[in-house]
Amino acid sequence: MIPVESRRDLRDFLTFTDDLYAGEERFVPPLHATVRGWHRRGVRLFLLRRGGRVVARTTLHTDAALDAKLGRETQLFGLTEFAEEAAEELFEAICAAGLAAGRKAAFGPVSLLPNQAGGVITSGFGERGFIDSAWNRPYYPAAYEAYGFSRRFESDTWICPVPEEPVFAFDDARIRAEELRVHRGDRRRVREQLPILREMLNTSFAQLGYYTEISAEQLAEQTDGLAYLLDEALLLYLTKAGRPIAFVLCLPDISSLVAEIRGNLHLLHQLRLLATRSRYRREAVLIIKGTIPDEQGHGYMRLLSRELHDGLRRGGYHTLRSTYVERDNPGSAAQFAAMGGRPLHGYTFYDKELA
């Protein structure tokens, strides 16, 4: 396995999935600009070649906050794609790198952290992938598990029809009595709204085993370009007596475009998206939602869900997909089931002790 150093190496890293998933419309690649940004920041990218042909790729990185959360020094790996015959050699190289660095375990694939992106789908291979989620060949789970990796944080993605009639009730008398106010996204004020969302996000998810606090820089990177993609009716947050307590963020699903352009959303393609974005207002992706811990259990997410689904209906959306939800989080799953939804992909991360 060799590090990505030259421009050719980086090009080969980015285009490897063009060959691996040739003719496969269900795979949605990461955006090239995101990967290039990580490379400039020093994230180590690696290629595995055989006879000059790329057969696998991965990143190798670490994160002190996740180490503290997991209670051990962990070798993280991500953007991990491989031809079936190259799996064992790739995993050997990942684990050897971790051992050489004194790491106690290998964990992934994460890009760059599990609360950002990554994962492997373990079922639902006939269903397409979508932005901020994974899709991979069916041999991936068997390859990881044959090498001794174990599943961690098993989850599901979900798909739901947008109900024609409201399915979430909330007593509107509480809105005035509790000084509740629903706020909507604003393209012109996204930079002002992001810190509010970040505070709620970190507070809401702090208790989850995989979650590490997201910094302002990380959130800015993850939401780069949000202003031009945002449907303002699909970014909502709730305040109670002026205090932010709950939020939900959905985005129009541009997966088909990203797959078509193979992740290369350069300027001309950005302009094309701007000019045709109405085409991508039929399906949406629920990126994240949450309620701060001391306000959970009071039905506030039902209020936001009611308003979200009203925005989806008014906007002409017919389908909502959700990024992965852990199977021990029945509250979120129950909301999807109430919409008539179903699990879409089985989802997991992989973990292996090294010492």
Side-chain angles (χ1 to χ4, degrees):
M1 193 163 69
I2 61 170
V4 168
E5 294 178 337
S6 69
R7 293 176 67 179
R8 179 198 169 196
D9 289 340
L10 182 56
R11 182 176 66 250
D12 287 349
F13 187 96
L14 292 169
T15 61
F16 170 57
T17 52
D18 295 350
D19 294 327
L20 185 66
Y21 293 104
E24 178 53 79
E25 297 180 351
R26 288 169 290 190
F27 174 74
V28 181
L31 294 178
H32 287 194
T34 300
V35 180
R36 291 181 187 277
W38 290 342
H39 184 53
R40 286 193 298 270
R41 287 196 352 242
V43 175
R44 296 181 301 157
L45 314 181
F46 291 86
L47 293 169
L48 182 61
R49 297 184 188 271
R50 284 183 180 172
R53 182 174 66 92
V54 177
V55 293
R57 76 177 192 194
T58 194
T59 67
L60 292 176
H61 55 288
T62 60
D63 185 84
L66 188 59
D67 285 350
K69 191 85 173 186
L70 298 177
R72 66 191 184 191
E73 294 179 313
T74 304
Q75 177 64 65
L76 303 177
F77 59 95
L79 297 179
T80 306
E81 305 285 354
F82 51 90
E84 187 170 10
E85 68 276 10
E88 183 174 358
E89 185 177 354
L90 174 66
F91 297 153
E92 283 181 355
I94 290 170
C95 293
L99 281 169
R103 303 271 112 183
K104 305 302 182 185
F107 179 82
V110 290
S111 305
L112 295 169
L113 291 166
N115 53 291
Q116 293 175 304
V120 172
I121 68 164
T122 57
S123 63
F125 301 103
E127 303 279 3
R128 71 167 176 85
F130 53 95
I131 55 172
D132 263 26
S133 193
W135 192 90
N136 47 262
R137 298 288 191 189
Y139 62 76
Y140 273 44
Y144 277 102
E145 290 162 26
Y147 193 75
F149 280 94
S150 300
R151 298 185 183 190
R152 190 87 184 264
F153 306 126
E154 283 199 86
S155 309
D156 297 287
T157 64
W158 284 74
I159 185 169
C160 309
V162 174
E164 294 183 4
E165 301 294 334
V167 295
F168 294 105
F170 189 83
D171 181 1
D172 286 341
R174 293 178 57 189
I175 295 177
R176 173 174 286 187
E178 299 177 31
E179 298 181 66
L180 302 176
R181 181 185 173 192
V182 176
H183 304 255
R184 286 171 172 75
D186 186 333
R187 292 191 191 94
R188 296 168 297 179
R189 297 180 54 241
V190 165
R191 289 187 179 181
E192 298 172 36
Q193 293 178 326
L194 283 179
I196 300 170
L197 297 178
R198 184 173 76 91
E199 182 177 350
M200 285 188 286
L201 175 63
N202 285 332
T203 303
S204 301
F205 285 81
Q207 70 270 30
L208 297 181
Y210 63 83
Y211 188 84
T212 56
E213 183 169 308
I214 188 168
S215 68
E217 180 184 15
Q218 287 171 327
L219 186 60
E221 180 181 84
Q222 280 187 262
T223 56
D224 183 37
L226 177 63
Y228 74 80
L229 182 59
L230 181 66
D231 181 334
E232 294 172 324
L234 307 188
L235 167 57
L236 306 171
Y237 67 95
L238 182 69
T239 56
K240 182 178 182 179
R243 178 195 182 203
I245 61 169
F247 67 98
V248 60
L249 171 61
C250 292
L251 292 176
D253 189 357
I254 62 168
S255 302
S256 60
L257 173 64
V258 175
E260 178 189 339
I261 64 177
R262 299 179 177 182
N264 191 10
L265 191 60
H266 54 61
L267 181 58
L268 289 178
H269 285 151
Q270 290 177 35
L271 293 173
R272 172 186 167 192
L273 175 58
L274 280 171
T276 61
R277 62 186 175 190
S278 62
R279 297 181 185 175
Y280 306 101
R281 299 294 175 93
R282 295 296 176 265
E283 299 183 84
V285 176
L286 193 157
I287 303 297
I288 198 160
K289 64 178 180 176
T291 305
I292 64 174
D294 61 337
E295 295 290 357
Q296 291 174 4
H298 301 305
Y300 295 127
M301 187 53 66
R302 295 182 67 84
L303 172 58
L304 282 186
S305 295
R306 185 184 76 176
E307 298 302 309
L308 172 67
H309 297 152
D310 182 65
L312 288 166
R313 283 192 299 273
R314 290 177 181 273
Y317 295 89
H318 57 70
T319 302
L320 177 68
R321 288 173 172 80
S322 171
T323 52
Y324 72 90
V325 177
E326 280 193 89
R327 290 175 179 169
D328 60 1
N329 184 0
S332 288
Q335 286 210 339
F336 297 135
M339 292 177 64
R342 61 177 174 83
L344 186 65
H345 304 112
Y347 212 91
T348 194
F349 296 92
Y350 280 106
D351 187 83
K352 182 175 173 61
E353 297 293 330
L354 298 181

